[in-house]
Amino acid sequence: MLTALGRLLRSQGFDVALFQQGESLLAAEKKQEFYCIVMDLHMPGLNGFDVLQALGDRPAHPPVIIITGHDEAGHGERVRALGPCAYLLKPGPAAPLLDAIQASPDVPPPA
């Protein structure tokens, strides 16, 4: 799924950095600027809830779009309370994801 998502976003002209784990994303986010984070809710190590919490503890962070294939009762409400700009279900069409990215503040138009 990670590779497919990267291919989709690159095909739309976005620069993409891929991370398999939440810990890697958080470490990279401290060192480089991201305009938007698209993240699966269920990852090895730190999950999406953990990463959203860690990002929320920082003074500023890029907008976050959460995607999940396991929409369990209460997950949507719990995620939304942590402040992502979108919560999307997979599999699904690419348009809602691309629309959410484009609607994120400070995301430059694709090349």
Side-chain angles (χ1 to χ4, degrees):
M1 185 65 181
L2 183 66
T3 303
L5 181 60
R7 265 185 277 185
L8 168 68
L9 296 177
R10 285 186 186 105
S11 77
Q12 298 299 306
F14 292 105
D15 289 328
V16 176
L18 300 175
F19 303 95
Q20 299 244 349
Q21 298 181 328
E23 295 88 348
S24 302
L25 167 65
L26 290 173
E29 198 270 334
K30 286 182 180 178
K31 298 175 187 173
Q32 75 187 91
E33 181 179 10
F34 295 111
Y35 294 107
C36 184
I37 295 172
V38 178
M39 177 174 57
D40 199 318
L41 187 58
H42 301 282
M43 302 177 285
L46 294 179
N47 64 33
F49 297 115
D50 300 328
V51 174
L52 277 170
Q53 183 68 50
L55 289 171
D57 291 341
R58 296 182 180 178
H61 64 81
V64 178
I65 298 167
I66 295 290
I67 57 174
T68 185
H70 304 285
D71 185 34
E72 297 177 23
H75 278 186
E77 293 79 18
R78 185 174 167 204
V79 166
R80 286 182 190 93
L82 293 169
C85 64
Y87 180 75
L88 304 172
L89 302 180
K90 65 178 183 178
L97 173 61
L98 296 173
D99 290 346
I101 292 169
Q102 297 276 343
S104 298
D106 301 324
V107 172

